[in-house]
Amino acid sequence: MTAVMHWHGFGPWQGGHEVFEMKNDALRRPREDWDTTTVPPLETGNYLLRRSQASRERTWTRVEDALDWLAGLHDQHPHDPTLNYPDKATRLKHTRDGLLGGADALWHYTTSISANRVVVYAVICCPHRHHTRTPCPLPPP
């Protein structure tokens, strides 16, 4: 039986840019406490290993539902207005095409330069085309 393509949402995570420095890569790799950490992983497919963080409210079989979730988080966590980011409509169109093609969507941007704040949230394709041995954390209803 072939699994039905669906998507899982993870995040948002908020923190400082320093988490993404190479010296902190070990924090972003799966480890014993991986299911409880919220730091964005180095590989997006590793979000699927966070089984306890998957939820029915963030598991979708319709791409439009995943896009609505992303748009809502974008509204709650706007980017720093002094920076040049694509507008939400452009980002959503690009993301839609990617998700339908089997690519994960990772929205990662600066919310405040002065306060050193970034936000990261993701929609992960499942089953994952690169993490083929990673089981689905929560099959769709």
Side-chain angles (χ1 to χ4, degrees):
M1 178 177 185
T2 303
V4 175
M5 171 67 99
H6 59 281
W7 299 273
H8 298 282
F10 293 90
W13 175 87
Q14 296 181 77
H17 288 96
E18 64 277 356
V19 168
F20 302 98
E21 294 174 5
M22 281 181 52
K23 68 180 181 182
N24 293 319
D25 281 358
L27 297 173
R28 301 181 59 214
R29 288 191 179 99
R31 56 187 189 277
E32 190 173 314
D33 66 344
W34 191 247
D35 202 35
T36 60
T37 189
T38 60
V39 174
L42 284 172
E43 297 179 44
T44 56
N46 284 331
Y47 272 113
L48 297 177
L49 297 171
R50 295 178 174 169
R51 301 182 73 75
S52 70
Q53 295 179 31
S55 75
R56 288 276 170 235
E57 298 79 32
R58 290 179 282 114
T59 299
W60 308 283
T61 56
R62 292 175 3 103
V63 73
E64 294 81 10
D65 296 331
L67 294 172
D68 287 346
W69 181 76
L70 289 166
L73 284 175
H74 188 271
D75 291 343
Q76 292 173 28
H77 305 280
H79 61 79
D80 187 306
T82 66
L83 299 173
N84 185 19
Y85 284 106
D87 63 49
K88 185 170 66 172
T90 300
R91 188 178 284 239
L92 286 168
K93 182 192 179 317
H94 177 78
T95 298
R96 182 181 196 284
D97 294 345
L99 289 174
L100 290 174
D104 299 329
L106 182 73
W107 287 25
H108 172 166
Y109 52 88
T110 300
T111 57
S112 174
I113 288 179
S114 61
N116 184 30
R117 302 298 290 174
V118 296
V119 64
V120 180
Y121 43 100
V123 173
I124 307 302
C125 296
C126 192
H128 201 274
R129 65 181 178 180
H130 299 295
H131 290 258
T132 56
R133 293 189 203 140
T134 301
C136 176
L138 185 66

